[in-house]
Amino acid sequence: MRWPILAGIAKVESNHATGRTIASNADIRPKIYGVLLNGSGAGGNTTVFPDTDGGRFDGTAHGERAVGPFQFLPSTWQSVGEDANGDHVADPHNGDDAALGAAIYLCGNGRDLTKRTQLRSAIFQYNRSDAYVANVLGFIEQYTAAAKAPALNTVSGNVRTVIEAALYQRGVPYSWGGGNASGATFGICCSPSGKSGASIKGFDCSGLTTYAFAKVGIRLPRVAATQAGMGRRIPARLGTSALKPGDLVFYAYAPGRDSTIYHVGIYLGNGQMVNAPRPGAVVRLDPISAMPGYAGGARLL
């Protein structure tokens, strides 16, 4: 079990108990309760879950609801709950206990979470939704990259200015069509087709690179595929070891055909990039392997 796996689950389930108080013993107050799973449709629930704990964990004997920062159903908690903070009580509303319970649950049946297929299977068991699995995996990759963030004392001048400008935008929402040389702008919230009809202020991948390079007076074309024509092209055949901090990193549907490039990031070194990955995510650190179809890079500095 790596901590980014637990962090990814907790981020999606409760946003790390944001808005609650976490005591020194890891008790979380007020307690976190999900919607009552009575089939009403509220919160997306359509199946009735009868009560199993008499309200001991979820505060109601009129049905079940998920509890705590890792959102366990009481019936699940009774099979995996353990005391992790030494108070001799297994409490799903305690952050330490809940994290240990999540580790036990995810590693159940002898799973090896270093293997991608088994990790996906474990997350799918936690919530049987492909969209949920993709969301959690995205945060796992983000936390893994952040833990290995390279020091910037090896870069200077314009390269450092570009990287710092991009890094400063971490946490800003992805916004399709968002971002220009001046900063974040309003674009489409949740899908390139704009089906949601919502707008959100932030960056898409090429909007982020446009902004960062504008800080050193370099004007980039607005689309990732045309940004590949800037500076010195670094062919994909040379491998990722040919990249240097500050390089643009490209991804294509058909690597070798720049007209099919669909994504761009800014290389940091140590196999990482600053990335605005997709709708529903935020600007973050990612391994360069996080996107499919590596198509080389471009050196502008």
Side-chain angles (χ1 to χ4, degrees):
M1 172 57 68
R2 299 180 293 116
W3 72 260
I5 296 173
L6 294 176
I9 295 286
K11 173 66 176 177
V12 174
E13 293 293 346
S14 70
N15 196 23
H16 300 304
T18 296
R20 264 68 175 184
T21 297
I22 304 177
S24 59
N25 70 344
D27 281 344
I28 296 173
R29 299 293 184 270
K31 295 179 178 180
I32 302 171
Y33 295 112
V35 298
L36 186 63
L37 301 176
N38 57 7
S40 67
N45 87 92
T46 57
T47 304
V48 176
F49 284 78
D51 178 67
T52 63
D53 68 332
R56 176 186 176 193
F57 298 116
D58 64 3
T60 178
H62 298 293
E64 292 280 84
R65 55 182 176 176
V67 297
F70 284 83
Q71 288 291 278
F72 281 103
L73 286 178
S75 57
T76 304
W77 180 253
Q78 291 179 74
S79 66
V80 301
E82 295 284 349
D83 169 35
N85 68 344
D87 65 357
H88 307 294
V89 176
D91 181 4
H93 298 283
N94 177 276
D96 291 345
D97 294 358
L100 177 57
I104 292 169
Y105 187 61
L106 291 165
C107 292
N109 300 318
R111 289 193 190 92
D112 180 354
L113 301 189
T114 64
K115 297 179 179 178
R116 185 78 168 185
T117 55
Q118 295 190 41
L119 174 59
R120 290 184 65 90
S121 176
I123 298 170
F124 187 79
Q125 175 184 281
Y126 210 98
N127 186 322
R128 296 180 181 278
S129 160
D130 290 332
Y132 176 87
V133 172
N135 199 16
V136 171
L137 286 173
F139 282 113
I140 292 172
E141 291 166 353
Q142 179 182 352
Y143 291 132
T144 299
K148 299 177 181 177
L152 296 183
N153 55 8
T154 59
V155 297
S156 60
N158 285 347
V159 171
R160 184 169 186 142
T161 298
V162 166
I163 290 176
E164 287 183 337
L167 286 173
Y168 191 73
Q169 303 307 313
R170 281 183 294 179
V172 174
Y174 181 97
S175 174
W176 187 71
N180 58 30
S182 299
T185 64
F186 282 93
I188 296 170
C189 170
C190 300
S191 67
S193 63
K195 292 179 181 178
S196 69
S199 63
I200 189 169
K201 191 174 185 180
F203 294 94
D204 64 11
C205 64
S206 55
L208 178 65
T209 55
T210 296
Y211 167 75
F213 278 87
K215 291 296 184 181
V216 296
I218 295 176
R219 298 184 64 86
L220 292 180
R222 185 56 180 79
V223 181
T226 52
Q227 289 184 2
M230 300 290 289
R232 173 192 162 196
R233 193 74 166 90
I234 304 168
R237 59 180 169 76
L238 297 180
T240 58
S241 61
L243 297 171
K244 292 184 178 181
D247 288 348
L248 293 175
V249 188
F250 299 105
Y251 301 84
Y253 295 115
R257 295 172 55 195
D258 283 358
S259 62
T260 70
I261 287 174
Y262 71 92
H263 195 79
V264 62
I266 299 175
Y267 188 60
L268 293 179
N270 195 32
Q272 298 174 74
M273 63 178 170
V274 190
N275 191 28
R278 64 178 186 275
V282 297
V283 177
R284 66 197 198 189
L285 296 184
D286 270 331
I288 57 176
S289 60
M291 310 297 294
Y294 174 65
R299 186 163 299 148
L300 284 69
L301 300 169

